[in-house]
C-alpha cells in the first residue's frame, strides 16, 4: 500500500556522529565488528552513498556523517535484563565519568549488547523472542542537550541481521521519538500514523523488504517521492 511519511515538525539527524558502544567484554566480535563496518561503509565509502542518499527527501540536505572510535564500556548496571530507562541511565553515567563523550546534538550512541542480556521495551516485550523486537532507538537529555541512541541486542544470525541499518535510518529521520507525548510539541519527525499496515517510521513501513548491499543486509527505506519501498545498488 501507499504509506506516505508525514513530517510532524520534529527534528532530523542528517549528519550523525555514530558512537559504537560495546556493553562489556562479553559482546561477540562477530556481532559488533560487522555492525561497525556497516556504519563505516555507509558514511565513508562512496560506493554506499546511494543508500543514505535516499533520506535527502526527508532531511532537506544530502546525508553525511561519521563513525567515532568504538568504546567498550564497563557497565555499572550488572543486570541481565535492561529497560529503556536502564540504558539511558547507563549512558548518562558513562558520559559523566568520561568514558563516553557528551552529546553535541548530532550524536547517535549505538549500544551493542551481549547475547546474555535481554532488552525490554514498553509495549513491545523482550528482545530476540517471538513477538518481541530486534532493536529500537530512543532519546534522552544530558545537560539540556538531546542525545539519540539505538539499542542492538545480539539475536544471532537470521531476521534481526538488518537491525543496524533499520535503526540508523529511523534515528536519522525521527530522532526524538523517545520524547513523544512529553511537552507541548509532538517531537516526531517523519512518521506515518495511519492505520496498520501504514503505521510507523521509514523502515517499519518496509519490514520484510530487506536486501543485500555490498555484503551487508540492509533495510529498504520508504520513499515518498517514488511511493514505494526503495532499494538501491552500489554506486
Amino acid at each position: 500500500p501507499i504509506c506516505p511519511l508525514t513530517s510532524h515538525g520534529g527534528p532530523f539527524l542528517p549528519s550523525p556522529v555514530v558512537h559504537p558502544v560495546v556493553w562489556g567484554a562479553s559482546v561477540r566480535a562477530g556481532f559488533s565488528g560487522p555492525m561497525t563496518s556497516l556504519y563505516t561503509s555507509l558514511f565513508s565509502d562512496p560506493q554506499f552513498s546511494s543508500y543514505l542518499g535516499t533520506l535527502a527527501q526527508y532531511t532537506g540536505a544530502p546525508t553525511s556523517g561519521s563513525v567515532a572510535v568504538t568504546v567498550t564500556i564497563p557497565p555499572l548496571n550488572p543486570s541481565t535484563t535492561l529497560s529503556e530507562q536502564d540504558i539511558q541511565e547507563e549512558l548518562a553515567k558513562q558520559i559523566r565519568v568520561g568514558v563516553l563523550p557528551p552529546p553535541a546534538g548530532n550524536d547517535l550512541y549505538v549500544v551493542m549488547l551481549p547475547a546474555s542480556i535481554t532488552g525490554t521495551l514498553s509495549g513491545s516485550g523482550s528482545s530476540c523472542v517471538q513477538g518481541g523486537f530486534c532493536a529500537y532507538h530512543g532519546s534522552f537529555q544530558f545537560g539540556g542537550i538531546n542525545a539519540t541512541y539505538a539499542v542492538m541486542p545480539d539475536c544471532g544470525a537470521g531476521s534481526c541481521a538488518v537491525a543496524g541499518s533499520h535503526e540508523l535510518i529511523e534515528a536519522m529521520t525521527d530522532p526524538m521519538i523517545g520524547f513523544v507525548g512529553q511537552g507541548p510539541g509532538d517531537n516526531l519527525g517523519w512518521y506515518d500514523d495511519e492505520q496498520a499496515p501504514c503505521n510507523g517510521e521509514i523502515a517499519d513501513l518496509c519490514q520484510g523488504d530487506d536486501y543485500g548491499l555490498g555484503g551487508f543486509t540492509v533495510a529498504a527505506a520508504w520513499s515518498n517521492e517514488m511511493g514505494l519501498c526503495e532499494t538501491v545498488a552500489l554506486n
Side-chain angles (χ1 to χ4, degrees), residues 90-183:
E90 183 71 38
L91 287 173
K93 289 174 182 176
Q94 297 291 339
I95 292 170
R96 287 193 190 98
V97 298
V99 174
L100 293 175
N106 64 334
D107 300 277
L108 174 60
Y109 301 95
V110 178
V111 180
M112 291 171 268
L113 302 177
S116 58
I117 289 182
T118 298
T120 62
L121 181 62
S122 177
S124 297
S126 299
S127 61
C128 307
V129 297
Q130 185 69 30
F133 63 92
C134 290
Y136 68 89
H137 71 99
S139 50
F140 67 102
Q141 284 197 329
F142 184 90
I145 305 235
N146 295 330
T148 304
Y149 68 96
V151 177
M152 305 289 177
D154 183 355
C155 299
S159 59
C160 289
V162 73
S165 60
H166 182 118
E167 300 305 328
L168 173 67
I169 61 177
E170 290 190 343
M172 291 175 68
T173 53
D174 188 26
M176 295 299 290
I177 192 168
F179 285 98
V180 172
Q182 302 179 28

Side-chain angles (χ1 to χ4, degrees), residues 13-42:
L13 198 64
S15 301
V17 177
V18 175
H19 299 271
V21 179
V22 175
W23 192 280
S26 60
V27 175
R28 289 188 305 116
F31 172 61
S32 61
M35 190 171 299
T36 302
S37 295
L38 168 65
Y39 296 136
T40 301
S41 295
L42 292 179

